[in-house]
Amino acid sequence: MTFVTVSFQMLALLIMIGTGYLIAKKGMMDVHTNEQLSGMIVNVFNPLLFFASAANSVGQISLNTMVQMGAIAAGMFVFFIAVGMVLTPFFDKDPDQRKIFQLMFVFSNLGFIGIPVVNSILGPEYVVYVTEFLVVFNIFFYTYGMMVMDGKLSASALKSMINPGTVCCAIAILVIAFEIPIPEFIRTAVTYLGNVASPMALVMVGFTLAHSDLKGVFGETRLYVFSVIKLLVLPLVMYPVLRAVTEDPAVISVCMIMFGMPIGNMTMILGTERGIDGRTCSAAIILSTVLCVFTVPVLVTLTL
């Protein structure tokens, strides 16, 4: 897969983001609509995309491969946690902002951005691999993430692990593991509904960009340094370890894309709920999302 091919795929995603930007600037979508669409993506369309990918991949992916993906995903989060602990003090002196940076190192946008990127570059049949990363994401976010923010782990945080996304991820894994045949009419319906997730999520990124302080997003040097480390340096450091674990090109492709995903918005949401200023986090999310259009082709070309 050449750099040019992957670049064109990423530019297609950038056009979708630009469409969301124009829609917002023309007043065709407001904040309330954006929130409703976000809820539909998280609770309906993304979960259906996981299920559709699994239903269309029955008999093509082994249980051993799925277990391997889960182990790699856990290893990724452990590595990011360790790096975050070491590097966070260099990016901010404020205790609250340090918490934000620490979580930004760890929790990437594996769903909203990861799914469209994998879907576009590799194909919808590879989305099922992403389910493993999202299950592990939920486990780490509602344990480690909550402990960083609150200094403790609560029962309510653990209950939050059970949501439509994790339920559909679990169902998708079971469908693959036990090779459960899904009727054609169900596969057709969930495939069409799941396909809504990727373009809608990218349009929403454009909406967010249109309502942001662009000078604050693109004018802070430390965020560029952070983004380069997050999007390029860490994935390339992990690549030799990944190659030592597996030689399966499908697994390597998905994992490298997952390693290089931009910052997710769950960190900002968690910080905002606790009264922490989210402007830096918001700027980092948008900047890293835009930059990943250019860094993902580099990662894919150098490692495949």
Side-chain angles (χ1 to χ4, degrees), residues 8-66:
F8 279 140
Q9 293 293 339
M10 294 302 293
L11 286 175
L13 303 187
L14 188 60
I15 290 173
M16 296 182 206
I17 293 174
T19 301
Y21 182 89
L22 292 176
I23 286 174
K25 287 300 184 182
K26 292 293 184 180
M28 298 169 65
M29 186 167 71
D30 59 19
V31 174
H32 179 63
T33 305
N34 185 59
E35 291 174 351
Q36 289 181 318
L37 291 176
S38 177
M40 285 190 285
I41 291 171
V42 171
N43 296 308
V44 180
F45 297 122
N46 264 354
L48 288 178
L49 184 58
F50 305 149
F51 181 74
S53 180
N56 291 317
S57 302
V58 171
Q60 300 176 30
I61 303 172
S62 69
L63 178 60
N64 286 339
T65 300
M66 295 301 287

Side-chain angles (χ1 to χ4, degrees), residues 26 71 100 105 115 118 146 176 184 213 225 228 264 290 292:
K26 292 293 184 180
I100 295 295
F105 267 110
I115 291 172
V118 169
M146 293 296 184
I176 292 293
E184 176 68 25
D213 175 14
V225 175
V228 170
V290 173
C292 85

